[in-house]
Amino acid sequence: MPQTLWTSIAELENAVKGICSVKHGELTVADKSEFAKFADELAWNAVFNPDEKVRGLARWYIWEGSAALKCPSASIHDLYMERAHNEYESATVPAINIRGLTYDVARTIFRSMKKNNACAIIFEIAKSEIDYTKQRPAEYASVVLAAAIRESYVGPVFIQGDHFQVNAKKYAANAREEMESLKKLMTEAIEAGFYNIDIDSSTIVDLSKPTCLDQQRANFETCAELTKHIRKFEPKGMTISVGGEIGEVGGKNSTVEELATFMEGYNSSLGTAKNRITGISKISVQTGTSHGGVPLPDGKIAKVKLDFEVLEQLGAVAREQFHLGGVVQHGASTLPEEAFDNFPKKQTVEVHLATGFQNIIYDSAAFPKEVKDEIYAWLKQNCAGERKEGDSEEQFYYKTRKKGFGPFKQKLWSLPEETRSAIMSELSRTVDMLFKKLNAVGSKKLTDKYIKPVAVHKRPPVI
C-alpha cells in the first residue's frame, strides 16, 4: 500500500483541503467518505514519514479524526465492572496482539467487527513487542485508529498495553530503576491513547519463600505502585482499565489462595476502604498455556492441557469476593479451535491472542517465499544467540520469526495488494470463528449500553 510521503507540513495541509479543516485547534471533517480513504495516506505517513513534524501531524489528524467520526480510543473498565455485578455473562473479550502488517490486520478485524456487530474487542501490543516490532505506542494507536476510520467503524476502540512487565533480572539488580522505566513507558502509552494497561509483576513472584503472602508480596506491592502511577496520568473523567497478574504463563497453575493473597495485599497497598483508589478490573492467571505454544522438532505445536475448571473457579472468586470483571487467559491463540467455546462457558472475561495470527501471516500460501527466505536469513544472522541446544531449524525459526516484523515492516506493508488481500482473507476466517466461539458476536449492544467514551482532545503539534 505504498502512499505519498509528504515532504512538508504545507504539502500535508494541502492534501487535506476539502476533506477536513482545522479552526482554533479543532478538526472538522467535511467529507467522511473522503476522510476514510485519506486514512491510507495518514497511516503511511504516521509510520514511515522521516520528518518528525509531518509524522506527528499525520498522527494528530488520525487522533482527532477518530473522535470526530465516533471511533475514539476508550477504556473497557466500565464494561468489566458490569460483569462484576453480573449484568451480563458468558461473553469473553478477545484481546488481539498485532505484530506485523498492522494496518491491514486491524482493518480486517474492524470489518469483522462490523459484520458481527461486535465492539468488545481489544487491540493490544506487549512491552516486548513494542521493541522487536518497532511500534512505539503513538505509532500503534495511530495505525489502529486509522484502520477504524478507513473501515467507517463507529464505536469505542479499545487499545491496550499488554504485559507491561517487570524484568526480574533488572528488578533484582536495581528495583527503582526498573520501576521508573516501566512508569515512563506507561506514561508514554497513556499519552498515546492506551486506555487499557495490563501490569505484569508476576515475574517477581518468589516461590522459594515459605508462605503465599511472602511469595506474592513483591507482586502485589509493585502492581499497586504502578496502578497509582496510571491513575495520576489517566485523562480526566476516565478510569483506565488496569489488569494484574498472579502467575507467569508457562509455570504452575494458579490457586485460589494465590489470588486471594494477591488481592488482599494489593487492596491494602492501595489504601484503606475509605480512601482506596480504583484498582484492577481483571486478573490474569495461569492454567496451563504457554505464549506462542510449544514447537516440536518437526515444527508442529504440542497439545496443551488447559485446566478450564481452575479458570472457572478463580473467575468466580475474582468476581464474587473481589468484585473484578473476572480472570484473563493468556497464550491462547494456538489452542485447537474446539477449545475456544469453553472460555465464555467458564466465564473468562478476556482471552489474549497473538501467535496464532502471526502464524497465519507467515504460513499463508500467499506469503511470498522470497520475502520469507530473506526474513529467515536475517533471523539466522541476528538471532543465532537465541537458539537453544537441540533446537531444530523449524523450532528456531518458529520461536524467532516474530522478530522479523520490525526490520521488514515497510517491505511487508509494501507487498502487492493482491498478496495482502489473500493473507487477510485467511485471517478473517479465523477472526470470525473466534468472535463466534468467544460469544463476542453482538457485543456492540453491551458497549453501547455500558461504555461512554470520554472526549480526549490533543493540541495540534507545534509546527
Side-chain angles (χ1 to χ4, degrees):
M1 61 164 287
Q3 303 290 320
T4 301
L5 281 174
W6 297 306
T7 59
S8 66
I9 293 295
E11 193 173 341
L12 189 165
E13 291 180 332
N14 185 61
V16 303
K17 285 182 179 178
I19 301 173
C20 60
S21 59
V22 180
K23 188 174 182 179
H24 304 305
E26 294 185 11
L27 178 72
T28 301
V29 176
D31 190 324
K32 294 181 180 180
S33 177
E34 286 302 311
F35 194 89
K37 295 175 186 176
F38 190 58
D40 289 346
E41 293 183 75
L42 287 172
W44 185 264
N45 280 270
V47 176
F48 299 116
N49 199 298
D51 187 319
E52 183 180 355
K53 291 182 178 180
V54 177
R55 196 167 62 243
L57 187 57
R59 293 174 180 180
W60 180 82
Y61 272 108
I62 292 169
W63 178 265
E64 292 299 324
S66 69
L69 297 176
K70 302 188 185 308
C71 53
S73 185
S75 167
I76 205 167
H77 176 87
D78 289 344
L79 180 66
Y80 287 173
M81 290 300 94
E82 295 299 333
R83 178 64 192 94
H85 298 133
N86 294 314
E87 292 299 320
Y88 71 94
E89 61 180 16
S90 303
T92 300
V93 173
I96 302 171
N97 301 61
I98 310 180
R99 294 170 177 167
L101 282 169
T102 305
Y103 187 57
D104 287 292
V105 173
R107 286 185 62 187
T108 300
I109 295 169
F110 280 117
R111 284 197 293 272
S112 183
M113 289 167 70
K114 289 178 67 176
K115 179 171 64 176
N116 291 290
N117 197 35
C119 180
I121 313 296
I122 291 172
F123 297 80
E124 65 179 4
I125 187 167
K127 174 188 172 187
S128 59
E129 291 169 331
I130 288 172
D131 291 331
Y132 67 72
T133 68
K134 303 186 187 302
Q135 297 183 101
R136 298 306 303 177
E139 175 183 316
Y140 188 80
S142 296
V143 173
V144 170
L145 292 173
I149 292 168
R150 185 66 176 89
E151 295 303 323
S152 300
Y153 173 79
V154 175
V157 176
F158 305 110
I159 302 173
Q160 180 160 278
D162 176 34
H163 276 305
F164 274 26
Q165 188 177 76
V166 177
N167 183 297
K169 289 183 179 179
K170 291 181 179 179
Y171 185 86
N174 190 324
R176 184 48 45 198
E177 187 175 290
E178 174 64 3
M179 289 293 283
E180 289 306 312
S181 174
L182 263 176
K183 289 177 180 178
K184 184 178 180 181
L185 174 61
M186 289 175 175
T187 303
E188 177 188 351
I190 294 168
E191 290 176 349
F194 283 51
Y195 298 145
N196 308 274
I197 294 177
D198 278 358
I199 298 169
D200 181 8
S201 44
S202 68
T203 49
I204 52 176
V205 170
D206 188 349
L207 296 177
S208 70
K209 293 187 179 293
T211 68
C212 189
L213 178 62
D214 290 332
Q215 292 169 9
Q216 289 285 337
R217 184 179 299 280
N219 184 14
F220 65 67
E221 288 181 345
T222 297
C223 188
E225 182 178 342
L226 293 172
T227 301
K228 291 176 182 177
H229 179 80
I230 291 169
R231 297 290 174 236
K232 284 196 295 186
F233 287 90
E234 66 189 359
K236 185 177 180 180
M238 178 191 296
T239 302
I240 286 178
S241 175
V242 179
E245 185 160 343
I246 59 170
E248 174 65 2
V249 166
K252 76 175 188 66
N253 285 357
S254 302
T255 67
V256 169
E257 181 186 15
E258 288 170 338
L259 192 154
T261 299
F262 173 90
M263 286 305 305
E264 288 166 0
Y266 173 77
N267 285 338
S268 177
S269 298
L270 290 179
T272 65
K274 289 184 178 180
N275 66 5
R276 184 178 301 153
I277 68 170
T278 302
I280 59 176
S281 59
K282 57 185 176 178
I283 188 161
S284 297
V285 298
Q286 163 62 354
T287 61
T289 61
S290 63
H291 284 125
V294 178
L296 300 173
D298 62 1
K300 295 181 180 179
I301 305 303
K303 291 184 178 180
V304 173
K305 293 182 179 178
L306 194 153
D307 196 328
F308 282 103
E309 300 310 313
V310 170
L311 199 62
E312 183 176 38
Q313 182 184 31
L314 294 176
V317 172
R319 289 189 305 276
E320 296 165 12
Q321 188 173 340
F322 297 105
H323 312 296
L324 305 181
V327 295
V328 177
Q329 179 67 61
H330 284 263
S333 68
T334 54
L335 292 173
E337 184 175 321
E338 60 269 19
F340 288 98
D341 298 280
N342 289 298
F343 291 113
K345 289 177 182 176
K346 300 302 182 181
Q347 307 304 322
T348 310
V349 74
E350 183 179 304
V351 63
H352 289 218
L353 309 157
T355 304
F357 292 94
Q358 167 188 294
N359 292 348
I360 290 171
I361 294 172
Y362 270 121
D363 297 336
S364 169
F367 195 93
K369 182 181 183 302
E370 64 275 14
V371 176
K372 184 185 286 189
D373 288 346
E374 187 180 356
I375 292 173
Y376 279 18
W378 184 92
L379 295 171
K380 191 170 186 177
Q381 181 176 349
N382 292 276
C383 301
E386 298 180 35
R387 187 166 187 165
K388 294 182 178 179
E389 186 176 352
D391 272 358
S392 67
E393 288 281 299
E394 289 80 4
Q395 286 173 309
F396 168 70
Y397 288 126
Y398 181 87
K399 288 188 282 189
T400 58
R401 62 185 181 174
K402 62 186 180 181
K403 296 190 175 180
F405 285 121
F408 292 88
K409 177 166 47 177
Q410 188 161 350
K411 173 162 281 193
L412 292 174
W413 279 50
S414 300
L415 289 174
E417 172 69 29
E418 59 271 22
T419 299
R420 290 181 289 110
S421 293
I423 296 171
M424 292 307 117
S425 179
E426 293 178 39
L427 192 75
S428 68
R429 289 192 287 273
T430 297
V431 173
D432 286 344
M433 177 275 292
L434 288 168
F435 285 1
K436 182 178 180 181
K437 294 274 188 179
L438 297 174
N439 205 18
V441 174
S443 61
K444 193 171 188 304
K445 294 179 181 178
L446 292 174
T447 56
D448 283 350
K449 185 175 182 180
Y450 298 123
I451 301 294
K452 307 300 179 190
V454 175
V456 180
H457 293 289
K458 298 181 180 181
R459 293 180 179 179
V462 177
I463 307 303

